[in-house]
Amino acid sequence: MNQTVKRNLRIALLQISPAKTLSENLEKGIKYCEKAKEHGADIALFPEMWSNGYNIYNRPVHEWKAEAVSVDSDFVNAFARLAKKLTMAIGITLLEKYENAPRNSLVLFDRMGKQKFVYAKVHTCDFGAERDLTPGEDFFVAMLDTSCGEVAVGAMICYDREFPESARILMLKGAELILVPNACPMEINRLSQLRARAYENMTAIATCNYPETVPDCNGGSSVFDGVAYLPESNGSRDMCILQANGQEGIYIAEIDLAQLRNYRKNEVHGNAYRHPKKYGLLTDTKIKEPFIRSDYRE
């Protein structure tokens, strides 16, 4: 890793409500990225599926599928140019046009406007409207050049949070920070999942949700810095360094990278004492029972 130029990485969570059209979301998204830069942000993150405001429920499938945009669309390319102009990384989310059915995706641009990865939600919510999406096939980690030096950044989206394997794979691929676009109520149990993912992987996790003005959302965007213990403290500390209220706005958190990296070198979680040879059952696709629900997708 490069030596850091400044100590803390500033993440801006854009907890904002969507407009009615793609062009209006583009305009509003640009405006809030510019505001995030004014606050000194190194990374700006949008809520889930910003291109159409995650507006896929209680609508005809053909109608919302028609709103999908490609990763090389004017909408996405505008954020690539903006990232370069602002010298700020941007995680833009979209309903991605993809082969036979759209994907729920995040495109991460670095501060030079270079695309670092396109991540499509692996664990789509197949119990609802997302059953008509194409799930992603893998998790990605990229080295993101920032004013703090290079940071290993990965991503998961909303429901991915509920599967420990998502964050575990990202940790094993080297992620120091996991970006999590979201579109659901962030209540105590979901927040506890994020806390657990950060704790067990010694990884910072930044989640951006829609505000309470958006149906089935309540704000509550959060950042857990992944550091549960400090050498000078007898007990544990609260890893939650940011917990937004329900209102629309930009919420800024600072992650102490030096502290996180030192912690990862010395603590016992993550990959330190795992026994992966004993976990074969986790990847045995022949296991069919026990299932609480049987309407799963193979």
Side-chain angles (χ1 to χ4, degrees), residues 78-114:
F79 288 100
R81 293 190 296 270
L82 184 64
K84 183 176 181 179
K85 174 185 174 183
L86 299 176
T87 62
M88 177 184 72
I90 297 175
I92 181 61
T93 59
L94 66 152
L95 177 63
E96 180 198 352
K97 184 180 293 185
Y98 187 81
E99 297 180 359
N100 297 323
R103 303 196 303 183
N104 181 344
S105 300
L106 176 146
V107 183
L108 180 63
F109 293 108
D110 69 14
R111 61 177 176 162
M112 279 72 75
K114 180 181 178 182

Side-chain angles (χ1 to χ4, degrees), residues 49-60:
M49 209 185 289
W50 174 254
S51 65
N52 82 334
Y54 197 77
N55 187 16
I56 64 174
Y57 277 84
N58 301 314
R59 297 176 64 196

Side-chain angles (χ1 to χ4, degrees), residues 41-80:
D42 297 296
I43 305 173
L45 179 63
F46 282 86
E48 185 176 7
M49 209 185 289
W50 174 254
S51 65
N52 82 334
Y54 197 77
N55 187 16
I56 64 174
Y57 277 84
N58 301 314
R59 297 176 64 196
V61 174
H62 72 273
E63 185 177 287
W64 60 258
K65 278 188 174 183
E67 296 172 353
V69 296
S70 67
V71 293
D72 61 355
S73 63
D74 292 342
F75 175 83
V76 175
N77 286 333
F79 288 100

Side-chain angles (χ1 to χ4, degrees), residues 224-245:
F224 295 89
D225 68 5
V227 178
Y229 307 103
L230 294 176
E232 62 271 21
S233 301
N234 292 325
S236 65
R237 62 182 284 274
D238 188 354
M239 297 182 297
C240 184
I241 61 171
L242 184 149
Q243 177 68 68
N245 57 31

Side-chain angles (χ1 to χ4, degrees), residues 184-203:
C184 69
M186 292 311 299
E187 40 73 57
I188 188 171
N189 297 299
R190 291 183 174 116
L191 288 167
S192 297
Q193 288 174 327
L194 292 167
R195 182 185 294 274
R197 301 296 88 82
Y199 175 77
E200 64 203 9
N201 293 297
M202 299 192 291
T203 304

